[in-house]
Amino acid sequence: MSYARILGTGSHLPERVLTNAELERMVETSDAWIRERTGIRERRIAAPGETTCDLAEPAARRALEAAGTAPEEVDLVVVATTTPDQVFPSTACLLQARLGLAGCPAFDVQAVCTGFIYALAVAERFVRDGASRRALVVGAETLSRIVDWSDRSTCVLFGDGAGAVVLGPDEETGILSTHLHADGRHEPCLTVPCGISRDQERLRREGPAIRMQGREVFKMAVRSLEALVDEALEANGLGRGDVDWLVPHQANHRIIEATARKLGLPMERVVLTVAEHGNTSAASIPLALDQAVRDGRIRRGELLLMEAFGAGFTWGACLARY
Ligand code: UT7
């Protein structure tokens, strides 16, 4: 049996740091409330004119370099994003052109905060069945473009960034399993309620803006992620304590703590970037993964659980031996 293995990781953040202190001057909030309820201290914001693809490209190049892969070796480009540069072409096609590639398949995956797990699951199948030998999988977002900066219940949460991995075939180990779920009945809990084909009048009036019933999302996230931990472990005949690292979607440190408890993992074994990045949606897992790989925490052969929950609702996990 052949596996898809993570050959290299990369990430990129925009320069501008937006602190909680600055948000205190924009809406009625406090640094203490944001830290206590979410764990976030600051987040990065793309410069005017800086696009999702602008963030994706350096992340992709770093992942390729780490994997020892030349751009022309890439034979599949999958970008997970909810904030594409344009309606079309896909951000994956824009990125493909920037990398000087032509001919290989390139497409976007839209599963909001679970987007990277969905993209990884799709690319893994291409690699495992021999259709791809070097798959570039990117999570990239400019969430700041769809934030209502007058809504304190959401504007303190989100940030911009990009992360990437390169997958290639390996006979011995790699991604062990992926687990994807969705339940579209919960659309009103977390939504941008207008768009290209729905309520363009509102879109023109208000612009696209995230609306969230935070408490409902929180409860569903904790419940769904706990069930997902059981599902992923059971599928591989593993138990609590077998996982070396939790690399979670970074929405809220309290949600992450609940998942770590369920896994029986101490917080030192959890890769946490929520304090510095906030919630970067599809970018948060590959950003965290790259940080922990580059600072030497995650080592070859260790078992990682990556998981996410987001709008849709969508949720998913990937168990991988790095
Ligand atoms: O990644 C996609 C998935 N998204 C998530 O996973 C997010 C899940 N939800 C959450 O992380 C949390 O629900 C939030 C961080 C969004 C909110 O935390 P909470 O502990 O659930 O707070 P809450 O919404 O229940 O609000 C508590 C209070 C409210 O005031 P009252 O009604 O108790 O007087 C809010 O109006 O906090 C108030 N509040 C704020 N206060 C200061 C809400 N936002 C703020 C704020 N600053 N920014």
Side-chain angles (χ1 to χ4, degrees):
M1 152 134 175
S2 170
Y3 296 88
R5 192 161 190 181
I6 297 171
L7 304 179
T9 65
S11 62
H12 179 74
L13 289 162
E15 265 177 41
R16 162 96 164 96
V17 175
L18 177 65
T19 63
N20 290 349
E22 285 174 87
L23 283 164
E24 283 178 348
R25 296 194 287 274
M26 292 161 62
V27 288
E28 202 183 322
T29 190
S30 67
D31 175 49
W33 189 95
I34 301 170
R35 280 184 197 229
E36 189 192 316
R37 306 313 296 164
T38 72
I40 301 169
R41 287 201 312 265
E42 60 189 37
R43 67 289 291 144
R44 299 295 185 98
I45 303 293
E50 192 174 31
T51 69
T52 294
C53 196
D54 291 336
L55 303 179
E57 185 185 348
R61 288 194 186 279
R62 280 182 196 135
L64 289 168
E65 199 185 338
T69 300
E72 54 275 18
E73 289 177 74
V74 171
D75 54 14
L76 173 68
V77 182
V78 187
V79 175
T81 186
T82 312
T83 47
D85 287 30
Q86 302 161 212
V87 173
F88 65 78
S90 68
T91 305
C93 284
L94 301 178
L95 177 63
Q96 183 199 35
R98 298 243 196 130
L99 295 174
L101 299 171
C104 72
F107 55 89
D108 287 359
V109 167
Q110 212 276 45
V112 203
C113 298
T114 318
F116 183 73
I117 300 289
Y118 268 66
L120 208 53
V122 172
E124 185 240 356
R125 281 156 177 79
F126 274 74
V127 173
R128 233 173 4 144
D129 77 7
S132 167
R133 290 197 57 79
R134 289 295 179 270
L136 176 63
V137 186
V138 182
E141 301 278 14
T142 43
L143 260 292
S144 61
R145 303 275 157 72
I146 56 167
V147 164
D148 174 352
W149 291 101
S150 66
D151 176 9
R152 72 171 182 172
S153 71
T154 53
C155 76
V156 302
L157 303 174
F158 298 101
D160 302 334
V165 301
V166 176
L167 297 182
D170 190 293
E171 290 311 311
E172 275 158 31
T173 195
I175 292 176
L176 303 183
S177 64
T178 57
H179 306 268
L180 304 181
H181 297 281
D183 185 348
R185 291 173 299 176
H186 301 280
E187 185 260 343
C189 287
L190 182 48
T191 181
V192 175
C194 53
I196 300 303
S197 169
R198 175 172 160 189
D199 212 347
Q200 276 216 345
E201 185 52 43
R202 182 172 178 181
L203 185 68
R204 272 191 288 273
R205 211 173 48 239
E206 300 174 11
I210 298 170
R211 301 283 173 235
M212 180 167 74
Q213 296 164 20
R215 218 171 296 180
E216 306 313 313
V217 179
F218 188 97
K219 280 189 270 182
M220 275 297 284
V222 170
R223 213 176 306 144
S224 307
L225 292 172
E226 285 186 350
L228 200 55
V229 164
D230 285 335
E231 182 186 330
L233 292 178
E234 275 167 28
N236 293 281
L238 297 166
R240 275 163 60 97
D242 285 332
V243 171
D244 294 307
W245 292 100
L246 174 62
V247 189
H249 170 51
Q250 313 276 328
N252 184 315
H253 78 107
R254 291 181 291 141
I255 298 175
I256 297 171
E257 276 167 1
T259 312
R261 255 195 315 275
K262 175 78 184 171
L263 269 171
L265 267 188
M267 288 309 281
E268 306 83 70
R269 288 267 147 189
V270 179
V271 184
L272 279 172
T273 55
V274 66
E276 300 84 31
H277 300 171
N279 181 346
T280 57
S281 192
S284 83
I285 292 174
L287 269 163
L289 178 65
D290 185 50
Q291 195 172 92
V293 164
R294 279 176 196 263
D295 68 20
R297 272 177 292 170
I298 293 180
R299 290 157 194 248
R300 284 284 169 204
E302 289 185 320
L303 189 63
L304 320 179
L305 180 72
M306 297 174 265
E307 49 77 357
F309 182 91
F313 289 139
T314 55
W315 61 106
C318 172
L319 253 179
R321 206 163 280 289
Y322 177 65

